[in-house]
Amino acid sequence: MQGKSIEELRVGESAEKDISIEETNIRRFAQITGNFNLIYFHDPTAKECKLGEKIVPQTMMDAFISALIGEKLPGPGSIIIKHEMEYLRPVCWGKDVRIFVNVKKIMHKSRRVVLFSCVYDITEDDDPAVCMGDWVVLPRS
């Protein structure tokens, strides 16, 4: 399967994926990255924080977005050049999130696209956005 070339992409085109954030995924992510921050795994530390429960590493949201870019939009063969994210609020263990990307701008001359991304906590009714930002991507040739 090939991803889309710059000529095949259209502004406004989007992709999304729902993910259940489970303990096993958080532990695997920590093992891969070496990030065992106590706020992620230690109940007494987490209870002292604003939310009062363990949270998911924010960079795990970046990994989910990166996977959606590489799998669906633009898809296989694309390379992420840079990204800038704003983390609006943490995600707690056991939540379901929706990963969303949208083609914001196509730069034909440099053969790059800007994707807007957002992660939503779909178990939260009030203000579900948890992070958002832009990603500059080089689609397949």
Side-chain angles (χ1 to χ4, degrees):
M1 177 181 180
Q2 286 189 336
K4 292 185 175 190
S5 68
I6 198 153
E7 291 80 19
E8 296 169 311
L9 291 166
R10 300 289 174 257
V11 171
E13 189 172 356
S14 64
E16 62 183 45
K17 181 178 184 177
D18 292 350
I19 297 172
S20 293
I21 301 177
E22 300 168 356
E23 180 178 352
T24 55
N25 296 336
I26 298 165
R27 292 197 182 283
R28 283 186 197 138
F29 188 79
Q31 288 173 340
I32 290 167
T33 62
N35 185 354
F36 292 93
N37 185 335
L38 292 178
I39 191 73
Y40 307 142
F41 299 103
H42 189 246
D43 282 316
T45 301
K47 286 185 189 316
E48 292 176 14
C49 292
K50 178 169 100 169
L51 292 174
E53 57 185 306
K54 295 180 284 194
I55 66 169
V56 177
Q58 292 91 333
T59 53
M60 196 169 177
M61 300 304 111
D62 292 357
F64 291 148
I65 295 166
S66 175
L68 185 60
I69 290 168
E71 292 172 4
K72 293 191 178 178
L73 187 67
S78 56
I79 300 169
I80 296 167
I81 304 299
K82 82 175 201 175
H83 75 281
E84 184 174 317
M85 295 296 292
E86 180 178 1
Y87 302 96
L88 307 170
R89 62 186 184 84
V91 176
C92 296
W93 284 34
K95 298 288 185 167
D96 295 328
V97 295
R98 175 164 296 138
I99 314 302
F100 172 83
V101 295
N102 178 281
V103 178
K104 180 176 175 179
K105 182 178 181 182
I106 299 173
M107 300 175 286
H108 289 280
K109 195 170 188 174
S110 64
R111 304 204 50 79
R112 296 176 181 184
V113 296
V114 178
L115 301 176
F116 168 76
S117 68
C118 190
V119 177
Y120 300 95
D121 180 345
I122 56 179
T123 56
E124 182 69 42
D125 292 331
D126 186 38
D127 194 21
V130 295
C131 65
M132 62 179 62
D134 288 341
W135 296 65
V136 178
V137 178
L138 181 63
R140 74 164 176 85
S141 298

